Amino acid sequence: MEYNFGEIEKKWQQRWIADGTYKVTNDPSRPKYYVLDMFPYPSGAGLHVGHPLGYIASDIYARYKRLKGFNVLHPMGYDAFGLPAEQYAIDHGIHPAVSTDENIANFRRQLDNIGFCFDWSRSFRTSDPDYYKWTQWIFLQLFASWYDRKQSKARPLSELEDLFTREGNAGHPCPGDPGIRFDAAGWKGFDQARRQEILMHYRLAYCGYGEVNWCEALGTVLANDEVVGGVSERGGYPVVKKKLRQWYLRITDYAERLLGGLETVDYSDAMKEMQTNWIGKSFGAEVDFEVYRSSEKLRVYTTRPDTIFGVDFMVIAPEHELLEKITTPEQRTAVDEYLGYVGSRSERERMAEKKISGCFTGAYAIHPFNGLHIPIWTSEYVLAGYGTGAIMAVPCGDERDFKFAQYFQLPVTNIIGDAFNGLDANPTKDAILQNSDFLDGLVMKDAILIAIRKIEEKGIGVRKTNYRMRDAAFSRQRYWGEPFPIIWKDGIATPLDESGLPLELPYIDKYGPGPEGEGPLANVPAWTERRLETNTMPGYAGSSWYFLRYMDPHNDGTFCSRKASDYWGQVDLYIGGAEHAVGHLLYSRMWTKFLFDRGWIGHEEPYKRLINQGMIQGSSRFVYRLELRGKPEMGEGRSSGPGIPIFVSAGIAAIDGTPEFHELVTFGVRDILNDPSIDLEDISVSPLHVDVNIVDGMELDIEAFRQWRAEYGNAEFILEEGKYICGAEVEKMSKRLYNTVNPNDLVKKYGADTYRMYEMFLGPVEQSKPWDTKGIEGVFRFIRKLWRLFYDETKGKVWTVEKPTEAEWKCIYRTIKKAEDATERFSFNTGVSALMIGVNELTDLKCHKKEALEKLVVILAPYAPHLAEELWHLLGHAGSVLDASYPAVDERYLVESAKNYPIAINGKTRTELNIALDATQEQVEEIVLADETVRRWLDGNPPKKIVYVKNRMINVVV
RNA sequence: GCCCGGGUGGCGGAACUGGUAGACGCGCAGGACUUAAAAUCCUGUUUCCCGCAACGGAAGUACGGGUUCGAUUCCCGUCCCGGGCACCA
């Protein structure tokens, strides 16, 4: 009986569906484990071998945990709303719902081939009205909540209104506009419109005017994490700053908890650091400087108040409100000119070329301690959006300030003595302060707090913590997203009644912007008549809480019952790409904290452990085409120096026109042609990507190449040793580079089990690595070898019910131990190795005994599920192997009672001694000292110490 | 520039808290079976030295130092690669 993976895999995939093998119930009597993959955005591109990597890893772990007795939740769904589908609709006239359907069907077909244990009965898409009903509902709760900074938690807005009625807002300053202050009477005196305006400043989901990243090409606003290097992440279109009415999430209020929460979760250091950087917490002080001959005060933010005596000038952002007021008449023209220049520069230009620029305002600030007059400049290197939009410049300690001072030839005060060399700023905190009045002689880092205290005493400033993170833009001028359940009544945003949810997205077939640049919904009369909000929510809305919906996917009374979320709790293991570090991961953490604050769920961090799978890179292959340099001279034979082949020049492609036919030169000869020391006149070679699937290792399949594309039908080849050898390079895996490998092709050729194991065998899941199909044969061989423990191709069944021998048990238990350890610590490549070693040993032992093989099948099940089911079945078991339990290791078979230990003197091995494994340190010393050889070494002297190392070696130190 | 990772055979990679470096697989070389091929199996495969050989010896985990009886693992410095951030005061 032969191993027929095609039949076996098909059979079991059908059985799993028929038997509902992977259906999970919320069963509080059993311990739970939640394994989650980041759900995919169903793009039209199709899968390559890089995509299923994380899914295979999570699948193995989910199956392993199930065998270990856990009730495992392992769901899958689709992040279906978003820009690309709508972009596709605009370009091809296909409705996003239709293309999304197609892409999902295609995706599902590809996934099903690989044999995952997802519980598809819990699946959904974020674009399902049954799902986004609850996305809208959560939005309404955010809208109806505020963040109590004293209690550090979200509370219902009604409680805030009660507070206002009783005591005004003195206890809870307005986060949106600190200038708004009122007492109880004041609140009672406000009309409804004013009250709503004030409340809007407190809401966790709020609408306001603000600078946003506007992308003209996409016709929408983008969140900070969707803008990379001044252009849109999707499509790479230019992005400009624009003031617009937008919805926001007040994520900044959660900054501290998002930071603190990182200490309670198990993410990689890199991931934690990315989030920490994004949040960008800094500690320092805000200091007020009086402006000379003005009643205005200039407030700056600094993390280095210790350097306050090194201030040589002040810089305010070009957008700073004070700029207008303090600019002197003499400087007016210059400042206006400068503002014109700043306005002309796009965000992208600013990022690309960081030119030093700026303009003196004519005004001076007065130093609060020494009364010196400090010139106030404006420059775009100071950002309006951070801190107070103004800084005190200390050129001797800050590189940017120093460069600015140099450029404009401003004097530099040195407050750190020798630590400043006059050529570069020195940002140290360890230098000793000079020229610094009451801070003289102090080490800078100690002076920080002393300076702050003095500033506070003097009443000219306060300590201040700042965060770089901004509130998240939450609206998009687009169609394919969740509609906001908001009606505008007389300019007041009014929530839709819950009974009106879901507010369904209407069908449209034109995706252009509305009459005033709003989203396409503004063109739907039925929509605008109801005065519904025309923006839609961004892509991350639906993905911010989806992990909760899987727990209770069909509940139409609530987003997820408390009972269900209490049972399943946190996602125990979350697997996905690192690209979501600051987007999805932060938003979903915030939403979870919010739902926790309001008591709808019982935990405030969504993901207990996060693993970022590495990228699978493509290993591209190249062929080298001969080309003519300069003037083509056709029809002439050409030969050259010794060892260099003769080329048929008639075949050489003319550089300017379509080649008549292609002449391709093998890798080994290509370099000779490019060598300038050899005169080949006008021939050169250019590398061309060739489909990796028609290259075996490095050798090109010439026939397949000729058929690959029509233009190569009559290609000629210059070979080495009768072969055409390709060049290679590691690049991103992409269709364009012809280096993609389709998992389905591998599944067809080797079976899903081999494919899965090979993908794991390649290396650690977290690590990025280039794909190389070559080694899959090794795993395939292993699987067939395993099969032969049960069945012989000619003799048929070979397994017996004989009792395994001592040696066979030893082998089995050793294998279980290794496989279990590896799987537990997520090291699936060594897990596969452990299985390989086990099977090799059993083969050598000619062990075909059922009792031993049974255990092998169970530990195989996470890795090669189809084969394990088949073998389990053949050994006479009914039902799924996953309902077996993971075999316990019988330790007795692992330890030997005694062992020959090498004994070394000062590390040099001299002899061996048989010592019981459970011997204590004292017993070991006794035995060692009694040994004749050792006594000879010691020659009557006592040893310094005897080191007994981990069952490995005994070292006598003299 | 700053902050994280990481440098181990021809290749992918093992070595869990310092304890026999190179597991497992690929590739390569040789061999067995076969008329032949496929498949399968066996042997060898870090480098250098000695020898007919079994065996033996030395060096070796990017480089230079250190701690330790003992370092791929810990510490300091240098170089290189990958990733993230980049006017955040």
Side-chain angles (χ1 to χ4, degrees):
Chain A
M1 201 152 93
E2 223 174 309
Y3 169 54
N4 185 338
F5 56 81
E7 225 168 73
I8 292 171
E9 290 174 1
K10 201 170 148 205
K11 176 169 106 194
W12 285 100
Q13 285 171 10
Q14 285 167 354
R15 279 280 290 275
W16 290 332
I17 294 170
D19 297 353
T21 308
Y22 301 128
K23 251 201 163 100
V24 184
T25 52
N26 295 5
D27 176 1
S29 69
R30 290 165 63 206
K32 68 92 189 183
Y33 201 89
Y34 188 177
V35 181
L36 182 64
D37 294 285
M38 288 187 187
F39 64 169
Y41 180 86
S43 85
L47 289 188
H48 64 62
V49 286
H51 297 117
L53 180 75
Y55 302 152
I56 296 171
S58 64
D59 190 78
I60 289 173
Y61 207 70
R63 288 172 189 272
Y64 167 74
K65 279 290 175 183
R66 178 156 165 190
L67 284 166
K68 278 284 193 177
F70 291 89
N71 189 24
V72 179
L73 179 57
H74 187 222
M76 178 53 77
Y78 303 97
D79 187 15
F81 272 138
L83 270 176
E86 190 168 349
Q87 232 18 60
Y88 189 82
I90 293 167
D91 296 342
H92 298 89
I94 295 167
H95 194 273
V98 175
S99 60
T100 303
D101 270 352
E102 279 171 14
N103 293 345
I104 286 177
N106 190 33
F107 185 85
R108 176 73 192 270
R109 209 169 22 244
Q110 295 200 62
L111 280 195
D112 282 348
N113 270 328
I114 304 171
F116 292 120
C117 64
F118 296 122
D119 177 0
W120 287 103
S121 74
R122 290 176 182 252
S123 186
F124 54 81
R125 327 173 171 182
T126 53
S127 60
D128 290 337
D130 287 347
Y131 179 81
Y132 69 69
K133 169 181 178 176
W134 297 109
T135 309
Q136 291 172 333
W137 181 85
I138 295 171
F139 168 80
L140 287 181
Q141 309 318 309
L142 285 160
F143 182 74
S145 301
W146 62 293
Y147 198 82
D148 182 340
R149 292 183 180 180
K150 286 190 172 152
Q151 295 182 20
S152 290
K153 65 179 276 200
R155 296 172 62 187
L157 205 67
S158 56
E159 293 178 13
L160 182 68
E161 289 180 75
D162 291 347
L163 275 166
F164 286 171
T165 317
R166 285 203 310 272
E167 55 197 49
N169 80 339
H172 299 279
C174 181
D177 183 352
I180 296 177
R181 283 185 206 138
F182 52 86
D183 56 16
W187 176 254
K188 283 171 199 146
F190 294 144
D191 64 11
Q192 189 55 24
R194 179 66 184 144
R195 284 184 180 184
Q196 285 303 324
E197 197 184 319
I198 290 167
L199 288 175
M200 189 60 100
H201 286 305
Y202 284 84
R203 296 178 190 274
L204 280 175
Y206 64 96
C207 192
Y209 282 87
E211 289 251 302
V212 291
N213 303 302
W214 174 259
C215 178
E216 189 60 47
L218 294 173
T220 188
V221 160
L222 298 171
N224 283 352
D225 61 277
E226 292 170 320
V227 182
V228 178
V231 298
S232 66
E233 187 187 19
R234 299 256 185 211
Y237 302 111
V239 172
V240 294
K241 290 276 179 201
K242 202 171 173 179
K243 278 229 172 206
L244 271 180
R245 200 210 82 208
Q246 290 300 326
W247 288 92
Y248 292 92
L249 294 185
R250 204 178 293 286
I251 193 170
T252 49
D253 269 338
Y254 279 95
E256 194 56 48
R257 282 168 66 194
L258 287 170
L259 212 50
L262 287 176
E263 279 164 35
T264 68
V265 293
D266 182 7
Y267 298 180
S268 71
D269 290 346
M271 182 60 46
K272 285 187 181 181
E273 203 202 313
M274 273 189 250
Q275 295 204 7
T276 305
N277 285 347
W278 185 261
I279 295 166
K281 181 179 180 173
S282 68
F283 173 74
E286 281 187 359
V287 187
D288 288 332
F289 284 73
E290 276 175 35
V291 179
Y292 180 59
R293 287 191 183 152
S294 160
S295 58
E296 301 290 345
K297 278 187 180 164
L298 178 59
R299 173 167 290 191
V300 301
Y301 173 69
T302 178
T303 56
R304 297 297 301 276
D306 54 312
T307 63
I308 194 155
F309 290 96
V311 177
D312 289 309
F313 53 98
M314 315 290 282
V315 187
I316 65 176
E319 299 86 355
H320 201 284
E321 51 163 19
L322 226 52
L323 181 60
E324 181 71 13
K325 295 178 190 162
I326 61 172
T327 302
T328 57
E330 304 83 65
Q331 287 300 103
R332 172 72 54 195
T333 329
V335 167
D336 284 347
E337 240 168 64
Y338 183 65
L339 289 179
Y341 162 77
V342 171
S344 74
R345 268 156 72 83
S346 70
E347 196 64 8
R348 195 184 184 173
E349 280 169 322
R350 258 183 79 153
M351 293 208 169
E353 29 154 341
K354 282 169 195 160
K355 281 202 290 195
I356 299 170
S357 73
C359 184
F360 179 47
T361 64
Y364 291 86
I366 300 168
H367 195 287
F369 292 109
N370 61 18
L372 290 177
H373 287 194
I374 311 161
I376 303 175
W377 288 63
T378 181
S379 170
E380 58 179 345
Y381 88 86
V382 172
L383 305 174
Y386 184 77
T388 60
I391 62 153
M392 56 178 220
V394 182
C396 78
D398 184 286
E399 204 184 317
R400 295 154 304 179
D401 297 346
F402 185 77
K403 288 202 172 127
F404 193 85
Q406 258 186 333
Y407 188 83
F408 290 106
Q409 300 185 348
L410 302 170
V412 175
T413 306
N414 181 13
I415 51 167
I416 49 176
D418 294 344
F420 176 62
N421 63 9
L423 301 170
D424 285 298
N426 185 352
T428 180
K429 285 184 184 173
D430 297 318
I432 292 171
L433 286 159
Q434 303 178 6
N435 299 328
S436 290
D437 196 350
F438 63 92
L439 296 172
D440 272 351
L442 288 168
V443 177
M444 297 175 99
K445 55 183 166 208
D446 303 328
I448 295 177
L449 276 174
I450 294 170
I452 292 179
R453 218 170 295 145
K454 193 88 173 183
I455 288 164
E456 285 184 328
E457 264 169 36
K458 242 180 137 138
I460 51 165
V462 286
R463 63 189 64 209
K464 172 90 181 174
T465 300
N466 260 327
Y467 301 92
R468 193 183 316 188
M469 184 168 64
R470 302 270 78 96
D471 277 343
F474 194 66
S475 44
R476 300 290 181 269
Q477 291 65 46
R478 280 310 187 113
Y479 166 68
W480 192 235
E482 299 87 347
F484 282 85
I486 291 286
I487 297 175
W488 288 92
K489 289 182 182 160
D490 304 322
I492 294 171
T494 316
L496 205 65
D497 189 81
E498 274 181 35
S499 63
L501 300 183
L503 173 61
E504 287 207 40
L505 190 63
Y507 182 89
I508 62 167
D509 50 16
K510 288 198 193 77
Y511 308 96
E516 281 158 55
E518 315 99 309
L521 290 178
N523 298 325
V524 180
W527 200 263
T528 48
E529 273 161 25
R530 291 173 68 190
R531 274 181 280 168
L532 286 161
E533 168 67 56
T534 54
N535 283 318
T536 54
M537 298 187 201
Y540 64 82
S543 60
S544 289
W545 71 281
Y546 76 111
F547 47 92
L548 292 166
R549 188 61 180 173
Y550 289 130
M551 299 172 180
D552 196 5
H554 308 298
N555 195 328
D556 54 11
T558 177
F559 69 99
C560 172
S561 71
R562 182 68 198 255
K563 205 175 146 198
S565 61
D566 278 350
Y567 174 57
W568 290 110
Q570 287 176 293
V571 174
D572 294 283
L573 179 68
Y574 194 32
I575 299 186
E579 67 273 18
H580 296 109
V582 292
H584 159 65
L585 247 19
L586 273 183
Y587 297 126
S588 56
R589 289 182 61 217
M590 177 207 161
W591 283 44
T592 304
K593 286 176 190 303
F594 167 70
L595 294 171
F596 169 79
D597 285 352
R598 295 294 315 272
W600 289 302
I601 57 174
H603 51 92
E604 66 167 311
E605 278 293 341
Y607 321 112
K608 197 177 198 170
R609 183 179 181 197
L610 171 71
I611 298 229
N612 299 111
Q613 89 261 26
M615 273 231 293
I616 301 264
Q617 293 138 315
S619 183
S620 304
R621 294 290 182 275
F622 296 90
V623 293
Y624 300 91
R625 185 174 67 193
L626 291 180
E627 271 164 14
L628 291 181
R629 246 182 243 142
K631 267 191 202 153
E633 257 181 68
M634 306 298 277
E636 213 178 289
R638 197 180 316 258
S639 69
S640 37
I644 298 170
I646 296 168
F647 305 113
V648 186
S649 67
I652 296 172
I655 206 154
D656 53 334
T658 314
E660 288 170 39
F661 68 88
H662 298 267
E663 180 146 29
L664 301 155
V665 58
T666 186
F667 182 77
V669 182
R670 150 212 75 121
D671 278 343
I672 304 172
L673 289 164
N674 276 336
D675 186 344
S677 68
I678 298 171
D679 180 22
L680 279 169
E681 292 163 38
D682 44 12
I683 302 174
S684 69
V685 296
S686 63
L688 303 172
H689 277 93
V690 59
D691 190 342
V692 282
N693 296 294
I694 58 170
V695 181
D696 179 23
M698 290 297 158
E699 188 184 346
L700 182 70
D701 180 337
I702 291 175
E703 267 322 297
F705 181 75
R706 287 201 167 112
Q707 278 160 29
W708 181 42
R709 290 208 278 171
E711 58 197 287
Y712 298 131
N714 57 353
E716 291 289 329
F717 299 88
I718 291 164
L719 308 176
E720 53 188 306
E721 291 165 20
K723 293 170 177 175
Y724 188 97
I725 303 299
C726 295
E729 217 170 284
V730 173
E731 299 176 289
K732 204 183 149 177
M733 195 170 273
S734 149
K735 281 233 162 83
R736 198 166 48 82
L737 305 171
Y738 303 109
N739 60 7
T740 58
V741 180
N742 185 329
N744 290 338
D745 294 344
L746 296 173
V747 168
K748 215 172 279 165
K749 197 162 168 201
Y750 300 101
D753 288 332
T754 299
Y755 165 66
R756 290 165 54 108
M757 287 187 96
Y758 181 59
E759 185 125 359
M760 292 298 104
F761 187 65
L762 226 44
V765 179
E766 295 97 321
Q767 196 169 301
S768 288
K769 59 234 154 189
W771 178 264
D772 175 16
T773 302
K774 202 86 197 176
I776 198 170
E777 297 280 352
V779 175
F780 193 44
R781 246 171 246 154
F782 152 76
I783 293 227
R784 279 176 302 174
K785 201 167 184 175
L786 175 87
W787 177 260
R788 286 198 300 271
L789 288 174
F790 297 78
Y791 286 93
D792 186 284
E793 274 150 37
T794 49
K795 285 184 273 178
K797 174 189 142 188
V798 290
W799 59 269
T800 67
V801 292
E802 261 179 273
K803 287 273 172 206
T805 63
E806 178 95 350
E808 288 164 348
W809 278 130
K810 251 182 202 172
C811 169
I812 279 289
Y813 286 122
R814 233 188 349 247
T815 305
I816 294 170
K817 178 119 179 77
K818 279 195 277 184
E820 183 179 353
D821 283 355
T823 311
E824 189 65 58
R825 73 192 145 93
F826 226 77
S827 174
F828 300 135
N829 55 333
T830 49
V832 174
S833 293
L835 291 168
M836 285 179 169
I837 297 166
V839 167
N840 281 342
E841 284 177 1
L842 289 175
T843 303
D844 289 346
L845 291 167
K846 299 195 170 52
C847 171
H848 301 287
K849 295 165 187 155
K850 183 181 170 182
E851 272 182 64
L853 296 180
E854 250 170 4
K855 293 192 193 291
L856 183 70
V857 168
V858 178
I859 61 170
L860 177 75
Y863 291 87
H866 310 86
L867 178 59
E869 293 281 24
E870 178 72 10
L871 295 174
W872 187 247
H873 191 66
L874 291 173
L875 287 175
H877 297 277
S880 170
V881 64
L882 290 183
D883 295 324
S885 61
Y886 207 82
V889 175
D890 189 336
E891 300 281 344
R892 286 173 305 173
Y893 287 94
L894 292 187
V895 291
E896 293 151 79
S897 58
K899 189 177 168 183
N900 276 327
Y901 282 89
I903 301 206
I905 176 159
N906 282 352
K908 289 221 173 197
T909 313
R910 298 288 174 83
T911 186
E912 286 197 348
L913 209 54
N914 196 272
I915 293 173
L917 280 174
D918 55 358
T920 62
Q921 173 79 26
E922 287 72 29
Q923 288 167 329
V924 169
E925 287 184 17
E926 207 174 298
I927 296 166
V928 169
L929 289 174
D931 184 70
E932 210 176 303
T933 321
V934 177
R935 289 165 88 122
R936 213 174 320 126
W937 294 343
L938 294 172
D939 200 21
N941 302 312
K944 263 193 206 147
K945 61 177 165 177
I946 294 175
V947 192
Y948 172 46
V949 188
K950 272 202 186 172
N951 302 348
R952 294 235 179 236
M953 174 183 281
I954 293 161
N955 194 14
V956 181
V957 184
V958 292

